[in-house]
């Protein structure tokens, strides 16, 4: 940043933090044979199953914020690793339901512990995972995530080159 610039934008900082945390989670769960994206999927699935749900790939995509096609790719890899089962939804033959296998539940429980310890470490500058500043930070992030994205504006000669 140059001396005359106002500093990094919130978007840039969120992007940098997301990348930093993704790398940290990738490293933490790698010994369990998972990537950060796979962890996000199995951890979400674990919670949903605990609540009695057997979600479809679409429902899990909506829950995690991942693209449905990416969830499908991750689910196939996790199925090959023996961590999840993919079955046709009896109510909708086009839909695929997901469930953790026993091995998947065991690996997920281990990963949850590892990631909780990592989050405690990463949130230490805010007082730790349960600290008021960390809870306020979580509330702020949640507020930002709850704002729906505006529909894309088609690019035409009237909007091309315009500054938002």
């Amino acid at each position: 940043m140059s001396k005359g610039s106002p500093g990094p934008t919130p978007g840039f900082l969120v992007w940098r933090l997301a990348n930093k945390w993704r790398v940290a989670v990738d490293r933490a769960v790698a010994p369990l044979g998972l990537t950060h994206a796979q962890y996000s999927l199995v951890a979400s699935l674990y919670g949903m199953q605990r609540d009695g749900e057997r979600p479809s790939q679409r429902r899990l995509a909506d829950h995690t914020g991942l693209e449905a096609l990416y969830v499908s790719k991750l689910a196939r890899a996790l199925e090959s690793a023996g961590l999840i089962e993919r079955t046709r939804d009896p109510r909708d033959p086009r839909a695929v339901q997901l469930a953790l296998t026993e091995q998947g539940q065991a690996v997920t429980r281990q990963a949850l512990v590892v990631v909780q310890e990592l989050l405690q470490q990463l949130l230490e500058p805010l007082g730790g995972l349960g600290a008021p500043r960390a809870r306020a930070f979580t509330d702020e992030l949640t507020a930002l995530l709850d704002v729906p994205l505006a529909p894309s504006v088609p690019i035409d000669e009237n909007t091309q080159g315009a500054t938002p």
Side-chain angles (χ1 to χ4, degrees):
M1 300 252 120
S2 68
K3 289 186 180 191
S5 80
T9 65
F12 178 74
L13 293 173
V14 167
W15 177 74
R16 289 274 321 270
L17 184 61
N19 282 316
K20 178 181 179 178
W21 284 26
R22 182 191 50 78
V23 168
V25 174
D26 269 337
R27 289 177 182 163
V29 298
L32 298 170
L34 297 173
T35 65
H36 183 258
Q38 290 172 330
Y39 166 76
S40 297
L41 205 75
V42 296
S44 295
L45 188 53
Y46 184 83
M48 295 169 99
Q49 269 187 228
R50 196 180 55 223
D51 292 341
E53 213 177 321
R54 187 176 175 122
S56 66
Q57 287 183 171
R58 164 55 64 193
R59 168 83 177 94
L60 193 55
D62 292 344
H63 179 80
T64 60
L66 297 170
E67 293 292 327
L69 195 57
Y70 190 43
V71 168
S72 176
K73 179 182 173 184
L74 291 170
R76 288 179 200 280
L78 291 165
E79 181 182 41
S80 293
L83 301 181
I84 67 168
E85 297 172 336
R86 298 169 65 247
T87 57
R88 290 280 171 210
D89 185 334
R91 297 166 303 208
D92 181 357
R94 298 167 298 160
V96 175
Q97 290 181 319
L98 303 175
L100 289 167
T101 63
E102 284 186 36
Q103 178 188 357
Q105 290 179 28
V107 168
T108 302
R109 280 192 294 272
Q110 289 177 289
L112 287 167
V113 170
V114 167
V115 172
Q116 280 295 109
E117 291 170 0
L118 176 63
L119 283 175
Q120 180 64 31
Q121 176 189 345
L122 293 171
L123 289 168
E124 197 55 45
L126 300 180
L129 193 54
R133 284 183 65 202
R135 284 194 305 273
F137 178 62
T138 301
D139 291 344
E140 297 290 344
L141 291 172
T142 301
L144 293 173
L145 286 168
D146 285 345
V147 176
L149 290 176
S152 298
V153 176
I155 296 176
D156 61 28
E157 62 275 353
N158 295 326
T159 61
Q160 197 166 20
T163 304

